[in-house]
Amino acid sequence: MLERIGFIGLGIMGKPMARNLLKAGYSVTVYNRSRPAVDELVEEGAAAAESPQEIAKNSEVVITMLPDGPDVEEAVLGLDGLLAGANRWLLIIDMSTISPGAAKRLAEAARERGVGMLDAPVSGGDKGAIAGTLSIMVGGNEDDFKRAMPIFEAVGKTITYCGSSGAGQTVKACNQVAVALHYAAASEALVLGAKAGVAPEVILKVLGGGLAQSRVMDMRGPAMSQHQFTPGFKARLHSKDLRIIMETAREYGATLPFAALADQLYTALVQNGGGELDHSALLTVIEKLSNGSIGDTQ
Ligand code: NAD
């Protein structure tokens, strides 16, 4: 018998993930701050709830897919939050990207109420969410991980147990360091080429066939070279992730000079009005610094 699932946060990632759970045969109750995504999923067979508390009452497992730590805290600990409606068999799976420290604190608060909680952030982007092929990195109790496995398999492909509470978010922070720096590298390569008169298509083709090849460049390079920045992953969320990375680095005494620079460049992008663009729009910051556009060679 499939467990009844609650789903909170139906944005770029959450909506297709909830849809894949419906497709896998789960009964899903959804809640989101804005209504249109809720209505869409109700038409496809989901039930709607008016609060996280109501979701908890109607579910055995609840997934949260929200922007940042304070949003997850509100959904879990708020007056009408999940713990206010939780039965003792409830398992909360937070798949948002939040700080490892916040993930640990929330799991501890849940544990005090007898409720299990996993941190299970994802990578693979909107395409992975739609295709059900996300990479999922999980922290928390191992029995809870085993219980959640069939649910993870309905939305993801590479599913890795990383360790105790917070370990999934730590791995996600590492992932986001690498992704930010791949975008910085792609942006600088494209701008250098364009300034010297070489078209972006040539740069992408040549780099894609050698040691500089990256998934970031393969997947987003063609859109970047056309200045198409429809999200995807919003720049303001990557800026949030870099804040988490720098806080975590400070906490553990890791020195990350390149991530610190990426943090500043993403701040510049968000402050210049690019927060709702895809994070590949980091290119526009490098273009401005060089007073040029990679379109100039076309
Ligand atoms: P999004 O902004 O598209 O969606 C967030 C959704 O949450 C929105 O529908 C919003 O209405 C809802 N919401 C916000 N606060 C709420 C609250 N307090 N209660 C209920 N609903 C609330 O964001 P997204 O791109 O879907 O990202 C969600 C999380 O996944 C973030 O932590 C992000 O960093 C992470 N993530 C995103 C991607 C990606 O490619 N988009 C990839 C990996 C991880």
Side-chain angles (χ1 to χ4, degrees):
M1 176 86 169
L2 294 177
E3 297 198 275
R4 289 172 303 153
I5 299 181
F7 206 109
I8 301 177
L10 303 171
I12 288 180
M13 297 297 283
K15 191 166 68 171
M17 289 166 73
R19 186 172 279 143
N20 283 333
L21 290 167
L22 283 169
K23 281 188 198 152
Y26 285 98
S27 86
V28 183
T29 307
V30 295
Y31 172 76
N32 193 54
R33 182 173 278 169
S34 59
R35 189 72 203 189
V38 173
D39 294 339
E40 217 179 297
L41 284 174
V42 166
E43 270 191 26
E44 297 173 27
E50 294 303 319
S51 69
Q53 183 178 20
E54 190 188 331
I55 288 249
K57 282 185 184 154
N58 294 318
S59 313
E60 278 127 8
V61 177
V62 178
I63 296 174
T64 47
M65 195 53 176
L66 295 164
D68 199 356
D71 306 304
V72 181
E73 263 171 45
E74 186 189 323
V76 175
L77 305 176
L79 276 181
D80 60 355
L82 291 172
L83 291 184
N87 298 298
R88 74 194 145 66
W89 58 79
L90 184 72
L91 174 62
I92 302 171
I93 308 175
D94 179 35
M95 302 190 80
S96 333
T97 305
I98 69 171
S99 78
K104 278 186 222 166
R105 284 193 298 277
L106 282 168
E108 181 57 26
R111 203 186 56 78
E112 280 167 12
R113 290 283 315 275
V115 170
M117 182 161 182
L118 296 170
D119 49 294
V122 304
S123 74
D126 55 330
K127 289 194 175 74
I130 292 165
T133 56
L134 291 168
S135 177
I136 307 174
M137 45 220 108
V138 188
N141 177 294
E142 213 164 347
D143 288 335
D144 288 339
F145 171 70
K146 286 181 192 145
R147 175 178 165 193
M149 200 59 176
I151 295 170
F152 289 144
E153 283 169 345
V155 296
K157 201 167 148 200
T158 308
I159 300 149
T160 310
Y161 179 71
C162 302
S164 59
S165 288
Q169 294 294 355
T170 299
V171 176
K172 176 66 183 179
C174 300
N175 184 79
Q176 294 303 83
V177 171
V179 173
L181 297 185
H182 278 297
Y183 275 116
S187 300
E188 293 196 358
L190 290 171
V191 168
L192 173 62
K195 283 295 249 189
V198 181
E201 294 71 28
V202 176
I203 306 287
L204 290 176
K205 182 164 181 252
V206 175
L207 273 58
L211 189 58
Q213 186 267 348
S214 76
R215 210 171 153 78
V216 159
M217 223 185 294
D218 289 351
M219 284 180 67
R220 289 284 180 187
M224 287 169 79
S225 63
Q226 301 297 319
H227 281 128
Q228 282 170 13
F229 301 122
T230 309
F233 184 50
K234 291 169 193 158
R236 72 173 158 79
L237 291 178
H238 210 139
S239 184
K240 174 260 308 183
D241 291 353
L242 283 155
R243 189 201 74 228
I244 291 169
I245 289 158
M246 296 320 297
E247 284 169 6
T248 308
R250 188 175 291 270
E251 187 181 342
Y252 290 101
T255 308
L256 309 179
F258 294 106
L261 186 52
D263 180 33
Q264 290 294 295
L265 293 172
Y266 271 103
T267 300
L269 177 57
V270 172
Q271 291 305 315
N272 282 282
E276 297 302 313
L277 299 178
D278 188 70
H279 56 160
S280 54
L282 185 64
L283 172 67
T284 61
V285 179
I286 306 298
E287 286 180 320
K288 269 189 204 137
L289 291 172
S290 297
N291 190 27
S293 162
I294 62 165
D296 292 347
T297 60
Q298 290 165 346

